[in-house]
């Protein structure tokens, strides 16, 4: 830390470098509620100079020509705005621009399809997901953030009733979910059916499917970076929402120097989940609540913003009978951040945060295996961004993580294991981003680990690079490569289609931390103004993965086995946007393999060769919106039935095995050696927004699997019975905001 | 644009008509597979130690219901031998009649040997050679003997009328020397006689370990090496022994027996892999049934029954109105 201060000071002093030009910077916000507007384009008219706003609405144009200029600000879904600005040599012009949302009813001119102001953005593997994209996916009983991800090419799932997702051939625990920069260990409610994060509290999401920047670490396959809304800065607002499963309430409004947002959600009709769980009775109960307060006071500290946020969620399955087990899971997150725009084109972000995760299976008097996991994590992060006059950027930072965990498990064979872990890691990163050439963008960076949580770590340095090259203005070629490591893993068996206990631990001392080397290569084409086509190929190796040793039958047997993996494929995404219609068509072609230590290579359950997702939203005017999603996937691998045999019964163990009576049993063949039939499903949604007195009311009607396709989920391992995924499932919701 | 909407509508309509379901066969190509099962009893007594073995073969049925199979799966023509430490035992084929409600109309075949006493730590190798030359083999070692210990030894007879300030609310029994991964099935039973006018009938009741929500809790399988019986639960079992019969003096309480059925590591793993799972909510699709048989599938293991009888103190019996 002490070494960073002089470095930062050196950048501050270097403002003289801007003597021939000036700097335009500031924030873009929504005029109706003061929320940040991400990914807006800011241009200085009459020049080629411009920049996009980041996820927090911040932008900076470091090489703005001096003089009187007009700055145009545009963003999809907002009215374009122009502002006159006087830019003085060597000075910084600060703008706070409020954009008004556009309205189709008023036939307003708004941006429908537009490239980023920074055409050479190095964004291979990155997908920015806006609130509109979240809303365009039909809702399945409860709004779910992850349904938006699942239509993204390269993302697969293994069933309708599990939120667990797999990115480009990586396992489920290789995905990092960050909520306001804090790790969310269990992002699912109700056995993974939907996300704990209510989509309505989300401002913007960035989904990194690979090749992620050095500032992100700790996972091999993907990063989902969710930033929640700040709350209405203009007026006090309350919204109540009722679905067939839960009720939720959000209150937001201005406070002196900032705003606040409070949200809460509670289930009240857990029986709805029975449709998802193939269970007659699943007495599920869940809740989540969050707060966010932001505060800025120029008298106290100019150009600074402070945020305090928290998120709390819990799931309980409490059986009234003492002979049935109880299950409970919870997340508790908090964080405080200080965001500072310095006089020099330096931007800093300091954060202290904590994340706590609890999971328990209380067997009571049942035969279930007792299991318990607790994890507490504290982070101190410092991030800096310095922008040069050449428009190059230097990002650097330090990250410190302290983890204490406790895992008590008993496996199927009754063997117990207990892991009590205390670990600390310190990492740093630096990423130099070349944007000085109009047709080339190039990131070169490294993540370095001063101290690590695991005893055996394969490498200290994780180099990363990304390249964007525009041979013509309509085509961007993109590439990326990097090495990644993961020191915390979830002990989930991927063959467990529905998993209720997903504990997290630091990779034990006897194992090396997992690592991956990845390569990306693709292109983005803009054939017409309203459409874009993205194609990206990937290849990644996965080594030192660990899985629970299912065959551990003796205390001295190893708890874990090593697994190697490999994945490659191509993802394609077509976006099309005209005034009232927004449509996306995603296609993936992928291969994934796993090879356990001493075993044969096999395709994991999420190795889906072809998948196609079409999703669209049509604004019919008058507050009516229609949306639809059609998903098609070729069959998942499964383990076929080889035949049947008669085995001695064990139902009465007190009787001697006389071998006179038998029960029929199923013998499985080679693991995942056959594939299920194709999966396809159509979901539709309808929203009608209207005003009653002063209340803004939204009525939602949705239907999943409208043509009631019987998609196979699995065949019961004991009975061979076919279990299908979700049937036709209609639902309704009502939202009232005042 | 209208043409696009038309194409989309036609596509959706086609899905409604043709996309709902398709037949699917989840089976791989059938191949012959063989199974060897044996749960040797650790009887420790010569002259009373028959042991049994069965050899099965894999079968297939149309559809997914194995109960439709009527072709006899047990094989009669294998040569089955066992090596117990340094002694060889040849098994003979038994032909057994099936139960009348069996789906098979044939006899079933089993292999047996008349007297093969097994002691703790004995080494056993079982081999079955099939007519087609296939060879199934399994090697096991009998587990260590267990020693029972009690929180109260009741050498003068069991009674629940103990000083609970001193001895606590329950009676604990430990079985020492058992391995952590060995399953045990403990059970406590009270045996009685009921004298009728001209006949005497015999009966027993199992003692629950405790009561929860008004329901008796009976021991199931356990990886623990101890069990505790609430004295109050024994009282309830004694009180309920006559099952509401007002003529309690017709009942003579004979004894209380603690039975410990234990499986060795192989039978324990087999039991765990075919009975239940980690919990009721998780869905696991590829859990395989445990096997320790080379050249095929199945399980060969050793089980043991340990029975300890306790007399019951007369005054404790009398307080319930029974005879001793």
């Amino acid at each position: 830390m002490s070494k960073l201060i002089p470095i930062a000071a050196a950048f501050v002093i270097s403002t003289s470098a801007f003597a021939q030009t000036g700097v335009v910077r500031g924030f873009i916000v929504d005029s109706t509620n003061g929320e940040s507007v991400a990914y807006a384009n800011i241009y200085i008219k009459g020049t080629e100079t411009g920049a996009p706003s980041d996820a927090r609405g911040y932008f900076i144009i470091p090489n703005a020509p001096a003089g009187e200029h007009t700055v145009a600000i545009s963003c999809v879904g907002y009215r374009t705005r122009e502002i006159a600005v006087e830019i003085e040599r060597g000075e910084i012009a600060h703008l706070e621009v409020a954009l008004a949302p556009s309205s189709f009813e008023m036939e307003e001119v708004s941006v429908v399809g537009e490239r980023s102001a920074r055409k050479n953005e190095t964004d291979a593997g990155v997908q920015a997901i806006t609130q509109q994209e979240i809303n365009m996916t039909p809702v399945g009983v409860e709004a779910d953030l992850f349904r938006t991800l699942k239509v993204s090419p390269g993302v697969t799932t293994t069933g309708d009733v599990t939120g667990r997702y797999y990115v480009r051939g990586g396992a489920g625990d290789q995905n990092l979910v960050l909520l306001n920069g804090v790790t969310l260990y269990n992002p699912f409610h109700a056995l993974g059916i939907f996300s704990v994060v209510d989509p309505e509290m989300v401002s913007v999401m960035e989904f990194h499917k690979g090749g992620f920047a050095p500032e992100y670490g700790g996972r091999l396959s993907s990063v989902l970076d969710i930033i929640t809304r700040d709350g209405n800065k203009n007026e006090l607002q309350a919204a109540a929402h009722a679905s067939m499963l839960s009720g939720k309430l959000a209150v937001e409004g201005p406070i002196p120097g900032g705003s606040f947002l409070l949200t809460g959600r509670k289930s009240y009709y857990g029986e709805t989940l029975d449709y998802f769980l193939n269970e007659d009775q699943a007495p599920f109960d869940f809740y989540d609540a969050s707060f966010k307060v932001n505060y800025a006071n120029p008298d106290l500290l100019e150009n600074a913003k402070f945020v305090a946020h928290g998120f709390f969620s819990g799931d309980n399955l409490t059986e009234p009978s003492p002979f049935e087990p109880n299950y409970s899971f919870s997340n508790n997150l908090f964080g405080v951040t200080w965001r500072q725009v310095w006089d020099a084109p330096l931007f800093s972000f300091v954060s202290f945060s904590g994340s706590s995760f609890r999971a328990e299976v209380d067997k009571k008097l049942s035969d279930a295996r007792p299991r318990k996991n607790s994890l507490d994590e504290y982070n101190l992060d410092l991030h800096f961004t310095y922008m040069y006059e050449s428009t190059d950027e230097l990002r650097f930072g330090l990250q410190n993580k302290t983890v204490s965990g406790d895992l008590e498990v008993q496996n199927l064979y009754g063997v117990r294991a207990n892991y009590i872990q205390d670990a600390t890691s310190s990492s740093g990163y630096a990423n130099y981003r070349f944007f000085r050439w109009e047709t080339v963008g190039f990131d070169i960076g490294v993540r370095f680990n001063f101290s690590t949580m695991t005893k055996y770590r394969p490498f200290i340095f994780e180099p990363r690079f990304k390249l964007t090259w525009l041979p013509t203005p309509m085509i961007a070629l993109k590439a990326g490569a990097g090495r990644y490591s993961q020191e915390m893993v979830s002990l989930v068996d991927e063959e467990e289609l529905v998993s209720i206990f997903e504990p997290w631990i630091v990779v034990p001392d006897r194992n090396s931390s997992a690592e991956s080397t990845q390569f990306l290569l693709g292109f983005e084409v803009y054939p017409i103004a309203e459409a874009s086509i993205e194609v990206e190929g990937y290849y990644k190796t996965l080594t030192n993965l660990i899985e629970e040793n299912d065959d551990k039958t003796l205390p001295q047997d190893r708890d874990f086995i090593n697994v190697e993996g490999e994945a490659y494929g191509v993802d394609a995404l077509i976006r099309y946007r005209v005034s009232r219609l927004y449509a996306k068509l995603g296609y993936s072609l992928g291969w994934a393999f796993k090879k356990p230590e001493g075993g044969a290579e096999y395709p994991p359950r999420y190795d889906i060769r072809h998948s196609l997702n079409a999703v669209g939203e049509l604004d019919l005017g008058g507050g009516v919106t229609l949306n639809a999603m059609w998903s098609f996937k070729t069959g998942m691998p499964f383990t076929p039935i080889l035949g049947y045999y008669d085995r001695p019964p064990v139902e009465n163990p007190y009787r001697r095995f006389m071998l006179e009576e038998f029960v029929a049993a199923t013998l499985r063949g080679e693991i995942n050696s056959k594939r299920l039939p194709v999966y396809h499903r159509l979901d539709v949604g309808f929203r009608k927004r209207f005003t009653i007195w002063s209340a803004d009311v939204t009525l939602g009607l949705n239907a999943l699997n409208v043509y009631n396709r019987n998609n196979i989920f699995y065949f019961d391992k004991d009975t061979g019975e076919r279990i299908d995924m979700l049937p036709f499932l209609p639902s309704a919701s009502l939202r009232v905001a005042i | 644009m209208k043409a696009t909407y038309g194409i989309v509508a036609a596509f959706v309509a086609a899905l409604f008509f043709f996309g709902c379901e398709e037949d699917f066969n989840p089976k791989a190509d059938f191949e012959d597979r063989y199974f060897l099962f044996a749960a040797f009893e650790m009887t420790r007594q010569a002259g009373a130690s028959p042991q049994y073995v069965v050899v099965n073969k894999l079968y297939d049925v149309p559809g997914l219901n194995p109960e439709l199979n009527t072709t006899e799966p047990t094989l009669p023509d294998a040569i089955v031998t066992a090596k117990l430490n340094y002694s060889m035992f040849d098994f003979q084929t038994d032909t057994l009649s099936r139960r009348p409600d069996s789906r098979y109309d044939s006899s079933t075949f089993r292999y047996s040997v008349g007297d093969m006493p097994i002691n703790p730590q004995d080494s056993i190798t079982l081999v079955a050679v099939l007519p087609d030359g296939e060879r199934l083999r399994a090697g096991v070692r009998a587990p260590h003997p267990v020693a029972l210990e009690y929180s109260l030894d009741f050498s003068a007879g069991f009674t629940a009328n103990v000083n609970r300030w001193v001895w606590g609310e329950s009676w604990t029994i430990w079985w020492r020397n058992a391995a952590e991964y060995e399953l045990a099935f403990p059970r406590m039973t009270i045996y009685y006689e009921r004298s009728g006018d001209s006949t005497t009938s015999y009966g027993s009741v199992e003692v629950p370990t405790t009561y929860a929500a008004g329901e008796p809790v009976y021991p199931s399988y356990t990886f623990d090496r101890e069990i505790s019986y609430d004295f109050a639960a024994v009282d309830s079992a004694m009180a309920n022994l006559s099952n509401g019969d007002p003529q309690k003096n017709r009942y003579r309480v004979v004894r209380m027996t603690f039975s410990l059925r234990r499986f060795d590591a192989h039978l324990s793993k087999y039991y765990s892999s075919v009975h239940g799972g980690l919990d009721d909510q998780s869905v696991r699709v590829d859990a395989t049934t445990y096997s320790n048989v080379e050249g095929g599938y199945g399980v060969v293991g050793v089980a043991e029954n340990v029975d300890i009888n306790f007399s019951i103190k007369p005054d404790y019996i009398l307080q319930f109105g029974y005879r001793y």
Side-chain angles (χ1 to χ4, degrees), chain A residues 37-58:
Chain A
V37 175
Y39 317 123
N41 280 331
I42 301 95
Y43 281 106
I44 298 173
K45 289 189 81 172
T47 72
E48 288 294 312
T49 309
S53 64
D54 68 10
R56 292 174 175 81
Y58 177 71

Side-chain angles (χ1 to χ4, degrees), chain A residues 324 369 371 413 416 493 495 497-498 550 553 639 641 644 646-647 653-654 656 658 674 707 709-710, chain B residues 19-22 25-28 41 50 56 59 104 110 223-224 261 269 278-279 283-284 286:
Chain A
E324 299 285 339
R369 302 293 190 264
R371 286 158 288 166
Y413 299 124
R416 295 175 176 86
D493 190 332
E495 296 305 324
L497 284 182
V498 176
D550 289 337
T553 52
T639 305
I641 295 169
Y644 304 95
D646 284 1
R647 65 165 177 80
Y654 296 97
R656 182 176 180 179
M658 297 301 288
K674 206 170 171 183
Y707 55 86
R709 159 81 179 175
N710 295 322
Chain B
C20 292
E21 187 163 6
E22 62 191 270
N25 178 11
K27 293 180 183 173
E41 287 292 317
N56 278 346
Y59 56 83
Y104 300 106
R110 183 181 70 181
F223 291 105
D224 295 335
R261 175 87 170 150
K269 292 171 202 170
L278 289 170
D279 54 66
V283 175
R284 193 183 163 96
D286 285 329

Side-chain angles (χ1 to χ4, degrees), chain B residues 148-150 171-175 184-191 219 226-229 255-261 305-310:
Chain B
L148 297 184
E149 290 180 17
Y150 316 95
W171 182 35
T172 302
I173 302 172
W174 293 272
W175 44 100
F185 306 86
R187 185 161 64 177
M188 185 79 78
T189 310
I190 300 169
Y191 291 91
E226 64 175 54
I227 190 164
S228 293
Y229 288 89
R255 69 179 190 276
M256 193 158 75
T257 300
F258 176 70
S259 303
L260 184 71
R261 175 87 170 150
N305 256 10
V306 179
D307 291 337
I308 304 294
N309 294 325
F310 298 92

Side-chain angles (χ1 to χ4, degrees), chain A residues 5 59 129 377 392 414 447 458 460 547 608 659 735:
Chain A
I5 293 170
F59 73 94
I129 298 170
E377 174 189 297
D392 287 357
R447 184 177 179 85
I460 299 298
E547 282 187 358
I608 294 168
L659 303 178
R735 181 182 186 275

Side-chain angles (χ1 to χ4, degrees), chain B:
Chain B
M1 190 59 104
K2 281 184 180 173
T4 306
Y5 288 147
I7 292 168
V8 171
F11 178 66
V12 172
L15 290 172
F16 270 90
F17 284 104
F18 306 113
C20 292
E21 187 163 6
E22 62 191 270
D23 289 333
F24 179 71
N25 178 11
K27 293 180 183 173
D29 293 338
F30 183 81
E31 295 171 16
D32 283 335
R33 294 280 192 278
Y34 299 99
F35 299 80
L36 178 65
F37 292 106
F40 296 125
E41 287 292 317
M42 195 160 68
T43 53
R44 311 188 203 183
Q45 292 176 350
S49 303
Q51 307 291 357
Y52 306 108
V53 172
V54 74
V55 181
N56 278 346
K57 65 179 178 183
L58 193 72
Y59 56 83
D60 196 10
V61 293
L64 299 173
N65 181 7
E67 298 293 334
L68 295 177
N69 179 52
T70 56
T71 305
E72 178 57 42
T74 56
L75 297 178
D77 305 324
I79 299 168
V80 179
T81 55
K83 183 180 178 188
L84 175 65
N85 298 327
Y86 300 102
S87 305
M88 294 298 296
F89 294 84
D90 294 326
F91 284 71
Q92 306 301 316
T93 303
D94 297 337
T95 303
L96 308 170
S97 298
R98 295 259 188 196
R99 289 193 324 206
D101 58 350
S102 169
R103 61 189 154 109
Y104 300 106
D105 54 8
S106 56
S107 298
T108 185
F109 305 103
R110 183 181 70 181
Y111 302 88
S112 66
V113 64
D115 187 24
M116 185 175 140
I118 296 171
N119 288 289
Q121 289 294 286
D122 278 354
S123 170
I124 309 159
T125 303
L126 181 68
V127 175
V129 180
L130 307 181
D132 62 3
E134 291 278 344
R135 190 168 183 272
L136 309 177
R137 180 189 178 280
V140 297
R141 183 175 287 279
H144 287 283
V146 291
L148 297 184
E149 290 180 17
Y150 316 95
S151 59
L152 270 165
D153 63 8
F154 293 118
S155 53
F158 175 85
T159 176
N161 299 326
V162 298
N163 185 339
R164 297 187 188 181
W165 287 100
V166 176
W167 300 108
E169 295 292 331
S170 59
W171 182 35
T172 302
I173 302 172
W174 293 272
W175 44 100
R176 306 294 191 193
N177 299 333
E180 184 188 344
Y181 44 84
E182 284 178 5
L183 274 177
F185 306 86
R187 185 161 64 177
M188 185 79 78
T189 310
I190 300 169
Y191 291 91
Y192 62 87
E193 296 173 4
R194 184 185 184 282
S195 305
D197 293 334
S198 58
T199 58
T200 300
S201 58
Y202 302 90
S204 65
V205 291
E206 185 178 355
V207 180
T209 54
T210 186
Y211 278 78
E215 294 288 319
V217 178
Y218 295 103
S220 176
Y221 65 85
T222 181
F223 291 105
D224 295 335
R225 282 157 283 182
E226 64 175 54
I227 190 164
S228 293
Y229 288 89
D230 288 354
F231 288 118
V234 185
D235 286 342
S236 295
M238 284 289 285
N240 296 334
L241 181 148
S242 55
N243 199 21
D245 186 346
Q247 296 179 300
K248 293 186 183 294
N249 62 347
R250 287 178 176 261
Y251 290 81
R252 188 173 83 83
V253 177
V254 179
R255 69 179 190 276
M256 193 158 75
T257 300
F258 176 70
S259 303
L260 184 71
R261 175 87 170 150
R262 56 187 290 244
F263 285 172
D264 74 347
H266 302 292
L267 292 181
S268 297
K269 292 171 202 170
Y270 173 72
Y271 183 92
S272 297
S273 64
V274 301
H275 188 268
L278 289 170
D279 54 66
D280 295 339
Q281 300 293 334
S282 302
V283 175
R284 193 183 163 96
V285 286
D286 285 329
T288 50
T289 301
Y290 176 77
S291 171
N292 65 336
V293 175
E294 298 167 20
Y297 303 90
V299 65
V300 174
V302 180
E304 183 187 29
N305 256 10
V306 179
D307 291 337
I308 304 294
N309 294 325
F310 298 92
S311 61
I312 303 177
K313 271 192 163 181
D315 58 340
Y316 181 60
I317 295 172
L318 289 171
Q319 79 182 52
F320 295 96
Y322 308 131
R323 293 182 291 115
Y324 60 88

